[in-house]
């Protein structure tokens, strides 16, 4: 099998998700309250043990999302192990690393500057800290005690929440970097000039692109459920009469996050899909020119016979995959995360 390569100019596609990330940060810092003043009086003084309900959901979602992130990275390592030119392998690795560095930059900034807003501030910093202060961690009897992830701190459960959130953010950055680089690798091509061999190569590229899309949708959708798990954490200990109002705030925040995830996925899927579609059209024209009976040549039949034509079912699955994170944000209000 000959080494396949992706033209280096195609790796510029990564600039689109970087732009979406930058636009998200701009909107978040300038148009959204970074320390929403939700009064702690909405918290109930009864049944404080219900804090554990939110903790169980958060840890379950963290565990599952971390597993999906590791899966994405593992598949990317497998893809990089396939026969390809050295420059393509290096470019894909650097693309993954660049997205990872970009993703962890806000976390690093938060550790360097204590005044930097945290993501949970947008749904009420005081409510979060007060609600989570009602829980305890085994082995954390004093603030200076150490447990699995370091120092317990004055609010052990809250310290655990922040550290797990930072770890998941790092894994998410690594996973998204792997997904973007993996999608760009779908543009790899060999040196064959044969139409049939090129058609088979394009068929495999389309199949790989759909796999990357579905994996992206799965990871970002469960990323949305992970976000919902911590956003709704304080809900069980909020007074029943205030729960609907707080839930509407969290649902709106989740919708913003879900929209961002959808646009992020679209930013690296659509360019690859358009390039592959252009290649298929060019190849079908070449096939028609090589056909001896041009009058009887049907382009759509030729595409279908070579696995290069998407049916209605495939189009519907693609549309659902692209919108799944937004649907997950709406579902957040009715899933077990909020009950």
């Amino acid at each position: 099998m000959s080494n396949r390569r992706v033209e280096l100019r195609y790796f510029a596609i990564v600039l689109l998700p970087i732009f979406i990330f930058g636009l998200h940060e701009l909107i978040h810092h300038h148009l959204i309250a970074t320390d929403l003043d939700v009064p702690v009086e909405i918290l109930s003084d009864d049944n404080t043990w219900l804090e554990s309900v939110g903790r169980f959901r958060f840890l379950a979602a963290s565990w599952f999302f971390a597993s999906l992130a590791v899966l994405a990275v593992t598949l990317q390592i497998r893809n990089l192990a396939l026969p390809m030119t050295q420059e393509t392998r290096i470019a894909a690795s650097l693309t993954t690393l660049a997205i990872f560095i970009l993703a962890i930059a806000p976390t690093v900034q938060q550790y360097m500057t204590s005044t930097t807003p945290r993501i949970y501030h947008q749904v009420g910093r005081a409510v979060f800290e007060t609600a989570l202060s009602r829980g305890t961690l085994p082995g954390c009897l004093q603030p200076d005690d150490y447990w699995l992830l370091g120092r317990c701190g004055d609010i052990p459960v809250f310290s655990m929440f922040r550290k797990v959130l930072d770890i998941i953010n790092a894994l998410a950055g690594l996973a998204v970097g792997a997904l973007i680089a993996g999608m760009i690798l779908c543009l790899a091509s060999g040196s064959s000039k044969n139409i049939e061999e090129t058609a088979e190569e394009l068929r495999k590229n389309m199949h790989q692109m759909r796999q990357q899309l579905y994996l992206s949708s799965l990871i970002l959708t469960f990323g949305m459920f992970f976000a919902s798990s911590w956003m709704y954490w304080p809900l069980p200990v909020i007074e029943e009469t205030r729960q609907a109002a707080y839930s509407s705030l969290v649902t709106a925040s989740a919708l913003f996050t879900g929209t961002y995830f959808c646009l992020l996925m679209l930013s690296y899927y659509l360019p690859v899909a358009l390039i592959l579609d252009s290649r298929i059209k060019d190849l079908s024209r070449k096939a028609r020119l090589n056909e001896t009976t041009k009058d009887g040549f049907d382009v759509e039949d030729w595409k279908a016979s070579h696995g290069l034509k998407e049916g209605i079912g495939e189009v519907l699955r693609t549309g659902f995959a692209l919108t799944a994170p937004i649907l997950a944000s709406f579902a957040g209000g009715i899933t077990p995360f909020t009950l």
Side-chain angles (χ1 to χ4, degrees):
M1 182 184 295
S2 61
N3 286 349
R4 305 173 73 222
R5 64 183 292 270
V6 177
E7 295 181 35
L8 293 182
R9 61 192 176 98
Y10 288 136
F11 283 96
I13 290 173
V14 73
L15 296 177
L16 290 175
I18 289 176
F19 171 75
I20 295 297
F21 174 81
L23 188 60
H24 169 264
E25 291 297 303
L26 188 67
I27 293 173
H28 191 269
H29 285 97
H30 292 273
L31 300 180
I32 295 177
T34 54
D35 192 2
L36 200 62
D37 186 22
V38 181
V40 295
E41 286 76 21
I42 68 174
L43 295 174
S44 172
D45 293 328
D46 301 324
N47 299 329
T48 56
W49 51 270
L50 285 175
E51 173 276 326
S52 291
V53 176
R55 194 193 318 183
F56 276 122
R57 292 167 181 162
F58 172 74
L59 291 175
S62 301
W63 192 355
F64 189 68
F65 182 77
S67 300
L68 289 177
V70 171
L71 173 62
V73 175
T74 302
L75 290 177
Q76 177 65 357
I77 293 174
R78 187 199 67 174
N79 288 336
L80 292 175
L82 296 174
M84 67 179 66
T85 60
Q86 191 69 11
E87 64 177 13
T88 298
R89 186 175 287 109
I90 292 174
S93 301
L94 290 177
T95 297
T96 303
L97 181 61
I99 295 298
F100 171 69
I101 292 174
L102 188 65
I104 65 171
T107 302
V108 173
Q109 183 181 9
Q110 288 162 0
Y111 276 100
M112 293 178 63
T113 309
S114 59
T115 57
T116 302
R118 288 258 181 176
I119 185 67
Y120 64 87
H121 290 183
Q122 68 188 37
V123 287
R125 174 180 180 177
V127 168
F128 249 88
E129 294 182 358
T130 304
L132 272 57
S133 68
R134 297 175 175 180
T136 59
L137 282 181
C140 283
L141 302 178
Q142 300 294 332
D144 292 330
D145 290 342
Y146 281 83
W147 69 294
L148 182 63
L149 295 180
R151 184 173 173 271
C152 292
D154 295 326
I155 312 176
V157 176
F158 182 69
S159 298
M160 178 268 293
F161 160 66
R162 286 182 50 165
K163 290 173 181 176
V164 172
L165 193 63
D166 291 341
I167 292 172
I168 294 298
N169 284 341
L171 286 174
L174 198 58
V176 171
L179 291 171
I180 294 173
M183 187 68 77
I184 297 174
L185 287 177
C186 296
L187 298 174
S189 59
S191 56
S192 175
K193 301 295 184 181
N194 182 277
I195 289 179
E196 293 301 316
E197 291 181 359
T198 304
E200 176 62 16
E201 183 177 71
L202 281 174
R203 185 193 66 79
K204 292 180 179 178
N205 285 347
M206 293 287 290
H207 178 70
Q208 183 182 350
M209 180 188 69
R210 286 191 289 267
Q211 284 185 329
Q212 286 294 127
L213 173 63
Y214 299 151
L215 182 60
S216 296
S217 179
L218 179 67
I219 289 177
L220 292 179
T221 298
F222 277 96
M224 191 62 252
F225 280 119
F226 165 75
S228 296
S229 74
W230 66 257
M231 287 180 184
Y232 284 101
W233 192 335
L235 191 63
V237 295
I238 291 177
E239 292 181 355
E240 189 173 348
T241 56
R242 309 285 188 92
Q243 285 185 358
Y246 188 78
S247 181
S248 64
L249 168 65
V250 173
T251 301
S253 179
L255 176 60
F256 177 76
T257 303
T259 302
Y260 165 55
F261 285 171
C262 285
L263 292 175
L264 184 65
M265 184 163 44
L266 191 64
S267 69
Y268 61 85
Y269 163 74
L270 190 58
V272 173
L274 291 176
I275 292 171
L276 288 180
D277 183 65
S278 176
R279 289 181 180 180
I280 291 172
K281 289 179 179 177
D282 290 341
L283 188 64
S284 62
R285 282 195 292 266
K286 290 179 181 179
R288 187 178 187 280
L289 291 175
N290 288 349
E291 181 65 40
T292 55
T293 56
K294 296 183 179 60
D295 293 337
F297 183 84
D298 189 294
V299 173
E300 297 304 316
D301 286 345
W302 183 86
K303 289 180 182 179
S305 66
H306 289 78
L308 300 176
K309 182 180 179 180
E310 294 185 341
I312 296 298
E314 191 59 49
V315 171
L316 291 176
R317 284 192 291 270
T318 299
F320 179 79
L322 288 169
T323 58
I326 286 184
L327 297 177
S329 69
F330 281 115
I334 58 175
T335 61
F337 286 135
T338 63
L339 297 178

